[in-house]
Amino acid sequence: TELESIRYQSVLYGLIVAENTALNSAASLESFVKVVPARVLSRPPQTHYDTLLLDRGSESGVKENDIVALEGIALGKIVSVGRTSSTAELYSTSGVTQDCLLGNPQAVAVLTGLGGGSFSVSLPRSVTVDVGDAVRIPHSETLTVGTVMFVRGEATDSTQTVYIASPVAIQSLDFVSIIPQNP
């Protein structure tokens, strides 16, 4: 019985260490003045597609349009705030648009969410985009949205369609960082 108790405590300790590591990484974005670490209370498939319910609200200084990120990856923005909780709509939500930076020469384009952590962008053929290129949001050079997975378009077309995927598995999020728009 004592051995089983020690094994159980060891498992609990391992869970606490993993949670602490995740929380510390969520709170350690260096380039921002004030970052609010938040626990993800609910995520897809428990919530509406590409929506997160977070445990931080107005009491913690969270406001609408604050950016939700994880380890330098912009996930979305806060769309509603309660006293102790908030809701984040991810940039990958189907039909949601967000300005982004990508390509060579660097171009500002409109990123369109396709759902499930994927996006598309339409660009002029003159902008060179390669598979694996990082796609950023204009807010900061340090926040990426995803990486280029596929480029579609014929050499005779004037535009090309770029398909992008977030490197974050939305269904496995436990902690995120909330970055104030106006710190």
Short mmCIF file of all heavy atoms in Angstrom, two decimals, residues 30-66:
data_model
loop_
_atom_site.label_atom_id
_atom_site.label_comp_id
_atom_site.label_asym_id
_atom_site.label_seq_id
_atom_site.Cartn_x
_atom_site.Cartn_y
_atom_site.Cartn_z
N GLU A 30 9.53 37.38 -24.06
CA GLU A 30 10.45 38.40 -23.59
C GLU A 30 10.19 39.78 -24.16
O GLU A 30 10.48 40.78 -23.52
CB GLU A 30 11.88 37.97 -23.92
CG GLU A 30 12.25 36.66 -23.27
CD GLU A 30 13.48 36.05 -23.89
OE1 GLU A 30 14.05 36.65 -24.81
OE2 GLU A 30 13.87 34.98 -23.44
N SER A 31 9.67 39.87 -25.36
CA SER A 31 9.62 41.17 -26.03
C SER A 31 8.37 41.98 -25.69
O SER A 31 8.19 43.05 -26.25
CB SER A 31 9.71 40.97 -27.54
OG SER A 31 8.62 40.19 -27.98
N PHE A 32 7.55 41.49 -24.80
CA PHE A 32 6.33 42.22 -24.47
C PHE A 32 6.36 42.66 -23.02
O PHE A 32 6.84 41.96 -22.14
CB PHE A 32 5.11 41.34 -24.74
CG PHE A 32 5.02 40.95 -26.18
CD1 PHE A 32 5.45 39.72 -26.60
CD2 PHE A 32 4.55 41.84 -27.11
CE1 PHE A 32 5.39 39.37 -27.92
CE2 PHE A 32 4.48 41.50 -28.44
CZ PHE A 32 4.91 40.26 -28.85
N VAL A 33 5.83 43.85 -22.77
CA VAL A 33 5.86 44.43 -21.45
C VAL A 33 5.05 43.60 -20.46
O VAL A 33 5.53 43.23 -19.40
CB VAL A 33 5.32 45.88 -21.50
CG1 VAL A 33 5.28 46.48 -20.12
CG2 VAL A 33 6.17 46.72 -22.43
N LYS A 34 3.82 43.29 -20.81
CA LYS A 34 2.95 42.57 -19.89
C LYS A 34 2.26 41.43 -20.64
O LYS A 34 1.52 41.68 -21.58
CB LYS A 34 1.90 43.51 -19.32
CG LYS A 34 0.94 42.85 -18.38
CD LYS A 34 -0.16 43.77 -17.95
CE LYS A 34 -1.16 43.02 -17.10
NZ LYS A 34 -2.39 43.75 -16.95
N VAL A 35 2.53 40.24 -20.21
CA VAL A 35 1.90 39.07 -20.79
C VAL A 35 1.10 38.40 -19.68
O VAL A 35 1.58 38.23 -18.57
CB VAL A 35 2.95 38.09 -21.36
CG1 VAL A 35 2.31 36.81 -21.80
CG2 VAL A 35 3.69 38.74 -22.51
N VAL A 36 -0.13 38.03 -19.99
CA VAL A 36 -0.99 37.37 -19.01
C VAL A 36 -1.05 35.89 -19.37
O VAL A 36 -1.59 35.52 -20.41
CB VAL A 36 -2.42 37.97 -19.03
CG1 VAL A 36 -3.31 37.24 -18.03
CG2 VAL A 36 -2.37 39.46 -18.76
N PRO A 37 -0.47 35.02 -18.53
CA PRO A 37 -0.60 33.58 -18.80
C PRO A 37 -2.03 33.14 -18.48
O PRO A 37 -2.63 33.61 -17.52
CB PRO A 37 0.41 32.94 -17.85
CG PRO A 37 0.61 33.94 -16.77
CD PRO A 37 0.33 35.29 -17.35
N ALA A 38 -2.56 32.27 -19.32
CA ALA A 38 -3.94 31.81 -19.12
C ALA A 38 -4.04 30.32 -19.35
O ALA A 38 -3.40 29.77 -20.25
CB ALA A 38 -4.88 32.55 -20.07
N ARG A 39 -4.86 29.68 -18.54
CA ARG A 39 -5.16 28.25 -18.73
C ARG A 39 -6.31 28.15 -19.73
O ARG A 39 -7.25 28.93 -19.70
CB ARG A 39 -5.58 27.61 -17.42
CG ARG A 39 -5.95 26.13 -17.56
CD ARG A 39 -6.43 25.54 -16.26
NE ARG A 39 -5.37 25.41 -15.29
CZ ARG A 39 -4.51 24.38 -15.25
NH1 ARG A 39 -4.58 23.43 -16.14
NH2 ARG A 39 -3.60 24.33 -14.32
N VAL A 40 -6.21 27.18 -20.62
CA VAL A 40 -7.27 26.91 -21.57
C VAL A 40 -8.29 26.01 -20.88
O VAL A 40 -7.98 24.87 -20.53
CB VAL A 40 -6.73 26.24 -22.85
CG1 VAL A 40 -7.86 25.91 -23.81
CG2 VAL A 40 -5.69 27.13 -23.52
N LEU A 41 -9.48 26.55 -20.65
CA LEU A 41 -10.52 25.79 -19.97
C LEU A 41 -11.26 24.86 -20.92
O LEU A 41 -11.69 23.77 -20.54
CB LEU A 41 -11.53 26.75 -19.33
CG LEU A 41 -10.98 27.67 -18.25
CD1 LEU A 41 -12.05 28.65 -17.79
CD2 LEU A 41 -10.44 26.85 -17.09
N SER A 42 -11.41 25.31 -22.17
CA SER A 42 -12.12 24.51 -23.16
C SER A 42 -11.58 24.83 -24.54
O SER A 42 -11.27 25.97 -24.85
CB SER A 42 -13.62 24.82 -23.07
OG SER A 42 -14.35 23.91 -23.84
N ARG A 43 -11.47 23.83 -25.36
CA ARG A 43 -10.92 23.95 -26.72
C ARG A 43 -11.71 23.03 -27.64
O ARG A 43 -12.47 22.20 -27.15
CB ARG A 43 -9.43 23.56 -26.69
CG ARG A 43 -9.22 22.09 -26.42
CD ARG A 43 -7.86 21.67 -25.97
NE ARG A 43 -7.35 22.16 -24.74
CZ ARG A 43 -7.72 21.76 -23.53
NH1 ARG A 43 -8.66 20.85 -23.40
NH2 ARG A 43 -7.18 22.25 -22.45
N PRO A 44 -11.50 23.14 -28.95
CA PRO A 44 -12.18 22.20 -29.85
C PRO A 44 -11.77 20.77 -29.50
O PRO A 44 -10.62 20.55 -29.13
CB PRO A 44 -11.65 22.58 -31.24
CG PRO A 44 -11.21 24.00 -31.10
CD PRO A 44 -10.72 24.14 -29.68
N PRO A 45 -12.66 19.84 -29.52
CA PRO A 45 -14.01 19.86 -30.03
C PRO A 45 -15.07 20.25 -28.99
O PRO A 45 -16.26 20.25 -29.30
CB PRO A 45 -14.22 18.42 -30.49
CG PRO A 45 -13.39 17.61 -29.56
CD PRO A 45 -12.20 18.47 -29.24
N GLN A 46 -14.67 20.60 -27.74
CA GLN A 46 -15.66 21.00 -26.73
C GLN A 46 -16.27 22.37 -27.02
O GLN A 46 -17.37 22.65 -26.59
CB GLN A 46 -15.04 21.02 -25.32
CG GLN A 46 -14.67 19.66 -24.77
CD GLN A 46 -13.29 19.23 -25.21
OE1 GLN A 46 -12.47 20.04 -25.60
NE2 GLN A 46 -13.03 17.94 -25.17
N THR A 47 -15.53 23.24 -27.71
CA THR A 47 -16.03 24.57 -28.04
C THR A 47 -16.34 24.64 -29.52
O THR A 47 -16.02 23.73 -30.28
CB THR A 47 -14.99 25.65 -27.72
OG1 THR A 47 -13.83 25.41 -28.52
CG2 THR A 47 -14.62 25.67 -26.26
N HIS A 48 -16.94 25.76 -29.91
CA HIS A 48 -17.17 26.03 -31.32
C HIS A 48 -15.83 25.93 -32.04
O HIS A 48 -14.78 26.18 -31.46
CB HIS A 48 -17.76 27.44 -31.46
CG HIS A 48 -18.23 27.76 -32.82
ND1 HIS A 48 -17.39 27.91 -33.88
CD2 HIS A 48 -19.48 27.97 -33.31
CE1 HIS A 48 -18.06 28.18 -34.96
NE2 HIS A 48 -19.34 28.22 -34.64
N TYR A 49 -15.84 25.60 -33.29
CA TYR A 49 -14.61 25.43 -34.06
C TYR A 49 -13.65 26.59 -33.88
O TYR A 49 -14.02 27.74 -33.99
CB TYR A 49 -14.93 25.27 -35.55
CG TYR A 49 -15.77 24.08 -35.85
CD1 TYR A 49 -17.10 24.23 -36.19
CD2 TYR A 49 -15.26 22.80 -35.73
CE1 TYR A 49 -17.90 23.13 -36.45
CE2 TYR A 49 -16.05 21.69 -35.98
CZ TYR A 49 -17.37 21.87 -36.34
OH TYR A 49 -18.14 20.77 -36.58
N ASP A 50 -12.40 26.28 -33.62
CA ASP A 50 -11.32 27.25 -33.51
C ASP A 50 -11.61 28.37 -32.51
O ASP A 50 -11.33 29.53 -32.75
CB ASP A 50 -10.96 27.82 -34.88
CG ASP A 50 -10.32 26.78 -35.78
OD1 ASP A 50 -10.27 25.60 -35.40
OD2 ASP A 50 -9.85 27.15 -36.86
N THR A 51 -12.18 27.98 -31.37
CA THR A 51 -12.48 28.91 -30.28
C THR A 51 -11.92 28.33 -28.98
O THR A 51 -11.99 27.13 -28.76
CB THR A 51 -14.01 29.11 -30.14
OG1 THR A 51 -14.53 29.58 -31.37
CG2 THR A 51 -14.34 30.11 -29.05
N LEU A 52 -11.35 29.21 -28.15
CA LEU A 52 -10.82 28.79 -26.86
C LEU A 52 -11.53 29.54 -25.75
O LEU A 52 -11.78 30.74 -25.87
CB LEU A 52 -9.32 29.10 -26.76
CG LEU A 52 -8.39 28.49 -27.80
CD1 LEU A 52 -6.98 29.02 -27.58
CD2 LEU A 52 -8.43 26.98 -27.74
N LEU A 53 -11.82 28.88 -24.66
CA LEU A 53 -12.32 29.51 -23.45
C LEU A 53 -11.16 29.55 -22.47
O LEU A 53 -10.56 28.52 -22.16
CB LEU A 53 -13.49 28.73 -22.85
CG LEU A 53 -14.08 29.27 -21.56
CD1 LEU A 53 -14.65 30.68 -21.78
CD2 LEU A 53 -15.16 28.35 -21.03
N LEU A 54 -10.81 30.76 -22.00
CA LEU A 54 -9.64 30.97 -21.15
C LEU A 54 -10.06 31.38 -19.75
O LEU A 54 -11.11 31.98 -19.55
CB LEU A 54 -8.74 32.04 -21.77
CG LEU A 54 -8.35 31.80 -23.22
CD1 LEU A 54 -7.56 32.98 -23.77
CD2 LEU A 54 -7.57 30.51 -23.36
N ASP A 55 -9.18 31.11 -18.76
CA ASP A 55 -9.50 31.39 -17.36
C ASP A 55 -9.11 32.79 -16.90
O ASP A 55 -9.10 33.05 -15.70
CB ASP A 55 -8.85 30.35 -16.45
CG ASP A 55 -7.36 30.53 -16.29
OD1 ASP A 55 -6.74 31.23 -17.13
OD2 ASP A 55 -6.80 29.97 -15.33
N ARG A 56 -8.82 33.69 -17.79
CA ARG A 56 -8.48 35.06 -17.42
C ARG A 56 -9.46 36.03 -18.07
O ARG A 56 -9.81 35.87 -19.23
CB ARG A 56 -7.06 35.42 -17.87
CG ARG A 56 -5.99 34.57 -17.31
CD ARG A 56 -5.87 34.78 -15.82
NE ARG A 56 -4.82 33.91 -15.30
CZ ARG A 56 -4.18 34.12 -14.22
NH1 ARG A 56 -4.46 35.16 -13.48
NH2 ARG A 56 -3.25 33.28 -13.82
N GLY A 57 -9.86 37.03 -17.29
CA GLY A 57 -10.81 38.02 -17.78
C GLY A 57 -10.39 39.42 -17.41
O GLY A 57 -9.22 39.72 -17.20
N SER A 58 -11.39 40.31 -17.29
CA SER A 58 -11.12 41.72 -17.04
C SER A 58 -10.38 41.94 -15.71
O SER A 58 -9.61 42.88 -15.58
CB SER A 58 -12.41 42.53 -17.07
OG SER A 58 -13.32 42.04 -16.10
N GLU A 59 -10.61 41.08 -14.72
CA GLU A 59 -9.89 41.21 -13.44
C GLU A 59 -8.38 41.06 -13.62
O GLU A 59 -7.61 41.57 -12.82
CB GLU A 59 -10.38 40.16 -12.44
CG GLU A 59 -11.72 40.46 -11.84
CD GLU A 59 -12.12 39.43 -10.79
OE1 GLU A 59 -11.43 38.39 -10.65
OE2 GLU A 59 -13.14 39.66 -10.13
N SER A 60 -7.96 40.36 -14.66
CA SER A 60 -6.54 40.15 -14.94
C SER A 60 -6.01 41.14 -15.97
O SER A 60 -4.86 41.03 -16.40
CB SER A 60 -6.30 38.73 -15.45
OG SER A 60 -6.72 37.79 -14.50
N GLY A 61 -6.86 42.07 -16.40
CA GLY A 61 -6.44 43.07 -17.38
C GLY A 61 -6.65 42.67 -18.82
O GLY A 61 -6.18 43.35 -19.74
N VAL A 62 -7.35 41.59 -19.07
CA VAL A 62 -7.60 41.13 -20.44
C VAL A 62 -8.68 42.01 -21.08
O VAL A 62 -9.68 42.36 -20.45
CB VAL A 62 -8.04 39.65 -20.44
CG1 VAL A 62 -8.42 39.18 -21.83
CG2 VAL A 62 -6.95 38.78 -19.85
N LYS A 63 -8.45 42.37 -22.35
CA LYS A 63 -9.40 43.20 -23.11
C LYS A 63 -9.65 42.57 -24.47
O LYS A 63 -8.85 41.77 -24.95
CB LYS A 63 -8.83 44.60 -23.30
CG LYS A 63 -8.64 45.37 -22.02
CD LYS A 63 -8.13 46.76 -22.30
CE LYS A 63 -7.94 47.48 -20.99
NZ LYS A 63 -6.58 47.88 -20.75
N GLU A 64 -10.75 42.98 -25.09
CA GLU A 64 -11.04 42.53 -26.45
C GLU A 64 -9.90 42.95 -27.38
O GLU A 64 -9.30 44.01 -27.18
CB GLU A 64 -12.37 43.09 -26.95
CG GLU A 64 -13.56 42.40 -26.35
CD GLU A 64 -14.87 42.84 -26.98
OE1 GLU A 64 -14.87 43.38 -28.10
OE2 GLU A 64 -15.90 42.64 -26.33
N ASN A 65 -9.61 42.13 -28.36
CA ASN A 65 -8.57 42.32 -29.37
C ASN A 65 -7.16 42.06 -28.87
O ASN A 65 -6.21 42.21 -29.63
CB ASN A 65 -8.65 43.70 -30.04
CG ASN A 65 -9.92 43.84 -30.83
OD1 ASN A 65 -10.32 42.91 -31.53
ND2 ASN A 65 -10.57 44.97 -30.70
N ASP A 66 -6.97 41.67 -27.60
CA ASP A 66 -5.66 41.24 -27.15
C ASP A 66 -5.28 39.97 -27.94
O ASP A 66 -6.15 39.17 -28.31
CB ASP A 66 -5.65 40.93 -25.65
CG ASP A 66 -5.68 42.17 -24.78
OD1 ASP A 66 -5.56 43.28 -25.33
OD2 ASP A 66 -5.84 42.02 -23.55
#
